[in-house]
Amino acid sequence: MPEPKPLSWSLKQKLLAKLREDFVRHGRSEALPELLEGSLADLAKTARSEPLRLLVREGIAGRKLKTTLKAWLKEMPDVHRSAWLVDKLTHAAGLVWAEPAADVPGPIRLPRAERTRIEQRLQELWETSIDRHDSDPEPEEYADVLEEEIERIGRKHEVFAQRALGKRFSHPSAHGEITLLELLNREQIDSAESVIRFLEKALEIEWTQPKGAGTAIVEMARPERPVTAYAPTTLYAAGDRIQHPRFGLGVVVSAEPGRLRARFDDGERVLAMGRGP
């Protein structure tokens, strides 16, 4: 019989975090077994983990998972409960976890397309918040999107997942070390770009371009108009060419009160426009 394929280290960290949250919120509530089973099911779905799906669907030793959890919780210790439960699940269900990848000091290099994807998700959140509430999203909302993107990227880049989930940070407002997402909630976050800068600094990320990138011709531009330096206080129209200090040469695709959408070599971005000084 072939050896089971090891589950990723980052998935184990996500499982520990979910169980820890359930224990903190619900203590020894009678509903806890069902809540824990639900958390496992949610994680199996979002992580696309077939072994966890099988565990939730078929249970352990012929018993439903919820029934097994209820029996286990009677002997649960008062400390390190999430780690204890993961160990129980690991041995009873025959799960195998991969060892964490070595986190070599220095920057993590990720494709620039991942940056564009994260920024697009964050900008969509910003646009929705502006349209619905006429206000910027809360840091917690940015953190929710970032958590999903960390999970997505981590499935392809284990070293990134290890650093994002395992690294701890200090902050003047916190007692002891805190996680990346806890740190984000304490930072001055007011835009998609500020979240990206936070992520780059906290995890030492460098974005790499595929060969030939950066040479794409910006379409829809009006060549008779000069290239102007982008400024959030200036008004622009579709077809204007702008030079952004970070994104380089771009063309305005559309403009409306307070914001514009511009296309750069690595994708489109929403930028402020006509804002007061």
Side-chain angles (χ1 to χ4, degrees):
M1 185 175 180
E3 290 289 326
K5 183 179 179 180
L7 300 173
S8 71
W9 177 91
S10 59
L11 179 60
K12 185 177 183 180
Q13 302 313 301
K14 293 283 289 185
L15 177 57
L16 285 166
K18 271 189 170 292
L19 297 179
R20 190 178 300 117
E21 181 181 351
D22 284 340
F23 284 131
V24 169
R25 293 177 63 183
H26 304 289
R28 292 180 179 269
S29 164
E30 292 184 1
L32 187 58
E34 185 173 354
L35 294 168
L36 292 172
E37 184 183 53
S39 291
L40 282 164
D42 290 343
L43 182 59
K45 182 178 180 180
T46 57
R48 303 173 188 173
S49 171
E50 189 56 33
L52 288 187
R53 286 177 183 167
L54 195 64
L55 173 62
V56 173
R57 185 170 64 246
E58 299 188 2
I60 295 174
R63 293 199 301 175
K64 290 183 178 180
L65 180 59
K66 182 171 61 175
T67 303
T68 300
L69 290 172
K70 186 175 181 179
W72 283 353
L73 293 181
K74 293 178 180 179
E75 56 184 274
M76 180 177 66
D78 293 326
V79 295
H80 307 304
R81 292 174 292 179
S82 55
W84 176 85
L85 184 54
V86 169
D87 284 343
K88 294 282 285 186
L89 288 168
T90 296
H91 290 103
L95 302 177
V96 178
W97 301 101
E99 292 296 320
D103 186 3
V104 180
I108 294 176
R109 292 176 173 82
L110 296 175
R112 191 169 184 83
E114 300 290 8
R115 186 190 198 280
T116 301
R117 164 69 184 266
I118 296 172
E119 192 166 31
Q120 287 173 342
R121 289 285 316 280
L122 294 169
Q123 286 177 342
E124 288 169 3
L125 171 65
W126 181 81
E127 290 179 28
T128 300
S129 184
I130 291 293
D131 290 341
R132 291 182 179 177
H133 313 296
D134 197 28
S135 63
D136 292 331
E138 296 294 328
E140 293 84 357
E141 296 177 283
Y142 282 123
D144 287 342
V145 171
L146 191 57
E147 183 177 22
E148 293 174 3
E149 289 303 298
I150 288 173
E151 171 66 29
R152 181 186 63 80
I153 298 173
R155 290 197 293 267
K156 298 180 288 184
H157 304 279
E158 183 69 16
V159 173
F160 166 79
Q162 179 180 340
R163 188 175 294 185
L165 297 173
K167 188 175 181 180
R168 294 296 180 264
F169 305 85
S170 58
H171 192 275
S173 68
H175 298 291
E177 295 184 323
I178 57 178
T179 66
L180 177 73
L181 296 178
E182 289 171 333
L183 179 64
L184 176 63
N185 286 331
R186 289 170 165 82
E187 293 293 308
Q188 296 296 319
I189 299 298
D190 56 8
S191 67
E193 181 61 25
S194 62
V195 177
I196 296 291
R197 289 197 301 268
F198 162 82
L199 188 65
E200 291 169 342
K201 181 179 179 181
L203 300 183
E204 298 181 72
I205 296 175
E206 289 184 359
W207 309 103
T208 61
Q209 290 274 31
K211 289 184 178 180
T215 60
I217 298 175
V218 179
E219 300 176 350
M220 298 176 59
R222 297 180 180 177
E224 72 276 8
R225 297 188 182 181
V227 177
T228 59
Y230 166 75
T233 55
T234 303
L235 293 173
Y236 299 94
D240 285 351
R241 295 186 294 168
I242 58 175
Q243 183 70 36
H244 194 280
R246 187 179 186 89
F247 310 131
L249 180 64
V251 59
V252 177
V253 176
S254 62
E256 57 186 87
R259 60 185 176 182
L260 62 86
R261 184 179 293 275
R263 181 178 300 163
F264 298 91
D265 277 336
D266 60 353
E268 291 189 358
R269 289 180 169 80
V270 176
L271 303 173
M273 178 185 77
R275 300 288 178 89

